[in-house]
Amino acid sequence: MGGGKLSSVALPRSFFDRPSHEVAPDLLGRVLVHGSVAVRLTEVEAYGGPGEDPAAHTYRGKTPRNAVMFGPPGHLYVYFTYGMHFCANLVCLPDGHGSAVLLRAGEVVDGVEEARTRRSSARHVRDRDLARGPARLAVALGLLREHNGLDAIRDGSAAGRPRQSATMLEGSPADPSAIRSGPRTGISTAKDTPWRFWIDGDPTVSPYRAHVPRRRSAAATSVGEVPSS
């Protein structure tokens, strides 16, 4: 896995100051570092802004839950879903726009053993599966509710970074000819919008799953219509 030597130069904030569906494919092959673990991104999904994308958390406007998405670009939006998983996004566009890219899957390129210890059932899991899926990716990077709003933009290289900081690195951008796009995974609204992007043939990319309606008990606590960004 991997695509040659990875650059340790940090991405500038201007990289994220664009529409999410433009940022998303450009994130493939880039590396997100949090603490001692680094993940090379191989699959992402873009989500638009208020009134624009009915699958986005921001569709109905700003709330305490999604407030980070309306902040400066390059920050992490981390949310809890289905009462069991955290998922991580990177905010796009300037203050007030409410747009982000969901990080769906990647390859752990540094800190493999640390990532493995964060999953109690991962002793016999293959390395390719450690960050294969948005919940697994968040676990591998150790991203939790308290990391919501963390700034992933740092000047210079990742050398000497604080253990709990996040840094988005240039990595090794995916060859444009290897990038594929298609419908986003597991959503019931705007389900045909082709804003899921992945590196063709990369073994860490998660399987595509169309939305399947689920019957939920009256006691179940809803986290909203959409499980994504």
Side-chain angles (χ1 to χ4, degrees):
M1 289 183 279
K5 187 175 181 181
L6 300 173
S7 169
S8 61
V9 175
L11 287 174
R13 197 170 305 281
S14 58
F15 177 92
F16 294 96
D17 195 1
R18 299 178 287 156
S20 60
H21 64 278
E22 295 180 10
V23 173
D26 284 352
L27 276 172
L28 297 174
R30 314 293 187 168
V31 176
L32 178 59
V33 180
H34 180 239
S36 60
V37 176
V39 171
R40 167 184 164 266
L41 301 176
T42 59
E43 181 187 5
V44 295
E45 283 180 346
Y47 287 86
E52 170 194 353
D53 184 357
H57 282 181
T58 57
Y59 183 64
R60 294 179 179 85
K62 187 175 181 179
T63 67
R65 183 194 188 203
N66 67 24
V68 169
M69 291 180 72
F70 289 85
H75 285 69
L76 284 169
Y77 167 52
V78 181
Y79 66 89
F80 196 55
T81 186
Y82 292 134
M84 64 182 82
H85 300 307
F86 287 100
C87 294
N89 304 254
L90 285 161
V91 176
C92 301
L93 291 176
D95 284 0
H97 284 74
S99 180
V101 175
L102 172 68
L103 310 182
R104 283 204 55 86
E107 173 193 7
V108 179
V109 293
D110 195 15
V112 171
E113 291 309 314
E114 177 68 18
R116 190 177 296 280
T117 62
R118 290 173 175 159
R119 291 181 56 195
S120 59
S121 60
R123 181 174 299 178
H124 302 296
V125 171
R126 292 174 294 185
D127 287 354
R128 78 170 203 175
D129 292 323
L130 286 174
R132 192 181 187 212
R136 291 176 179 177
L137 184 148
V139 170
L141 284 167
L143 294 173
L144 301 168
R145 195 186 311 276
E146 58 262 35
H147 300 117
N148 184 41
L150 196 64
D151 192 354
I153 304 301
R154 294 289 183 272
D155 292 331
S157 73
R161 63 184 182 271
R163 180 173 174 80
Q164 289 305 314
S165 71
T167 309
M168 201 64 235
L169 304 179
E170 283 186 354
S172 181
D175 185 333
S177 67
I179 296 176
R180 300 291 180 267
S181 65
R184 294 172 292 191
T185 297
I187 59 175
S188 60
T189 54
K191 59 185 179 181
D192 295 324
T193 302
W195 282 2
R196 172 178 170 252
F197 301 90
W198 68 94
I199 300 176
D200 189 38
D202 192 291
T204 65
V205 173
S206 66
Y208 170 75
R209 292 187 176 89
H211 173 73
V212 177
R214 299 193 307 171
R215 298 190 64 173
R216 309 179 81 174
S217 69
T221 301
S222 173
V223 295
E225 170 68 15
V226 294
S228 302
S229 173

